């Protein structure tokens, strides 16, 4: 209940207007107190905004010996355009990335511990996955250490194993537990085509990678 004579007003346009102005300040370099050096490219921003969006950067700022100075942070392994996309997201809550750039945005979001963005990018990659790209997507998810993505990709590979075995990348699968391929009542000996593909995979692992047969039967990823 509002007391008599108490003024209460909510400006519904204030938040959007303020966010837009802050992003304009960032792009013009005004009042910025953070300089991100990304593979030779300099990106400027405001410490308070980044600290709210990135737990990784929050930890860095929180331990800064000069909290009132300009923070200089270097990234030698991130894509500058991907980081710019994340900066724009931090200021606008809008994530816009070309499909060719989504993996780089995912990698940058993982590094900055922006879990929501990482999940959105991962789900987008899953939505675009097909039999031709499944092995490549799995390699990416494995490198990123994303168990959630790996689980969904492995389920897809298992469901479409026969079609995926026709792809050249099938022979590049890591030491995947062979028993997984036998689930869902899939019988390799009764399917000569798939059996031949799996044997080619085993031979490649044995001869080219120097694997031992016992290790091939272990689940590594």
């Amino acid at each position: 209940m509002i007391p008599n004579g108490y003024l209460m007003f909510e400006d519904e346009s204030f938040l959007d207007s303020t966010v837009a102005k802050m992003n304009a300040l960032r792009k013009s370099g005004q009042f910025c107190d953070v300089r991100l050096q990304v593979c030779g490219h300099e990106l400027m921003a405001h410490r308070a905004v980044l600290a709210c969006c990135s737990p990784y950067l929050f930890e860095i700022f929180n331990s800064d010996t000069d909290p009132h100075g300009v923070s200089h942070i270097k990234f030698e392994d991130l894509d500058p355009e991907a980081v710019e996309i994340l900066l724009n997201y931090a200021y606008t809550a809008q994530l816009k990335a070309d499909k060719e750039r989504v993996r780089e945005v995912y990698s940058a979001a993982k590094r900055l511990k922006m879990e929501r963005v990482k999940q959105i990018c991962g789900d987008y990659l899953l939505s675009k996955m097909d039999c031709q790209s499944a092995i490549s997507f799995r390699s990416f998810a494995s490198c990123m250490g994303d168990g959630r993505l790996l689980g969904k990709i492995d389920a897809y590979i298992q469901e479409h194993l026969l079609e995926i075995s026709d792809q050249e990348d099938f022979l590049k699968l890591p030491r995947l537990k062979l028993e997984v391929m036998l689930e869902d009542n899939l019988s390799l000996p009764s399917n000569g085509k798939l059996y031949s593909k799996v044997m080619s995979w085993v031979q490649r692992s044995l001869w080219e990678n120097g694997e031992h047969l016992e290790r091939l039967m272990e689940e590594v990823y």
Side-chain angles (χ1 to χ4, degrees):
M1 182 176 180
I2 301 176
N4 187 28
Y6 188 89
L7 173 64
M8 184 170 182
F9 168 72
E10 181 178 353
D11 188 344
E12 296 181 355
S13 65
F14 177 81
L15 183 59
D16 290 340
S17 174
T18 301
V19 168
K21 290 177 181 177
M22 289 186 66
N23 199 30
L25 290 173
R26 173 183 74 88
K27 292 182 177 181
S28 64
Q30 292 180 279
F31 310 118
C32 292
D33 51 6
V34 177
R35 294 178 183 270
L36 302 178
Q37 299 288 339
V38 187
C39 294
H41 296 261
E42 183 175 80
L43 303 174
M44 303 181 69
H46 303 94
R47 183 187 285 113
V49 175
L50 299 189
C52 291
C53 300
S54 167
Y56 176 83
L57 292 177
F58 175 87
E59 294 171 4
I60 292 179
F61 299 148
N62 198 40
S63 60
D64 199 330
T65 56
D66 184 13
H68 302 295
V70 177
S71 296
H72 296 265
I73 304 174
K74 289 186 178 181
F75 295 104
E76 299 295 342
D77 55 350
L78 298 182
D79 180 75
E81 290 188 34
V83 176
E84 172 62 29
I85 289 171
L86 291 182
L87 288 181
N88 191 66
Y89 169 81
Y91 281 80
T92 67
Q94 297 179 356
L95 187 63
K96 299 178 181 179
D98 293 335
K99 60 181 180 180
E100 294 82 7
R101 190 73 56 182
V102 174
R103 290 195 187 192
E104 285 76 13
V105 175
Y106 175 103
S107 298
K110 180 179 185 296
R111 178 69 175 277
L112 299 180
K113 298 183 179 179
M114 299 173 70
E115 293 299 323
R116 178 59 174 164
V117 176
K118 190 181 80 169
Q119 180 180 344
I120 293 298
C121 290
D123 289 343
Y124 176 86
L125 291 173
L126 285 174
S127 72
K128 300 301 180 183
M129 183 174 63
D130 55 23
C131 292
Q132 287 73 34
S133 60
I135 302 300
S136 173
F137 278 14
R138 190 188 193 282
S139 296
F140 174 76
S142 179
C143 289
M144 293 294 104
D146 192 323
R148 184 183 74 93
L149 277 185
L150 275 174
K152 293 187 176 183
I153 294 172
D154 281 347
Y156 181 90
I157 292 176
Q158 182 178 334
E159 182 179 355
H160 301 86
L161 186 58
L162 184 58
E163 298 94 325
I164 291 175
S165 69
D166 283 332
Q167 306 303 316
E168 184 177 351
D169 280 350
F170 177 76
L171 298 181
K172 299 178 182 178
L173 270 173
R175 289 169 290 177
L176 187 62
K177 195 174 183 180
L178 291 182
E179 292 94 314
V180 172
M181 299 181 182
L182 297 172
E183 292 183 4
D184 289 339
N185 299 315
L186 181 62
S187 177
L188 291 180
S190 66
N191 191 318
K193 182 179 180 181
L194 184 54
Y195 179 76
S196 176
K197 290 289 184 179
V198 172
M199 291 308 299
S200 295
W201 174 80
V202 171
Q203 290 175 347
R204 179 182 185 276
S205 297
L206 285 172
W207 296 340
E208 295 186 13
N209 299 334
E211 297 285 3
H212 296 291
L213 184 59
E214 293 82 1
R215 296 191 66 187
L216 289 175
M217 301 303 292
E218 297 175 357
E219 181 178 14
V220 178
Y221 291 90

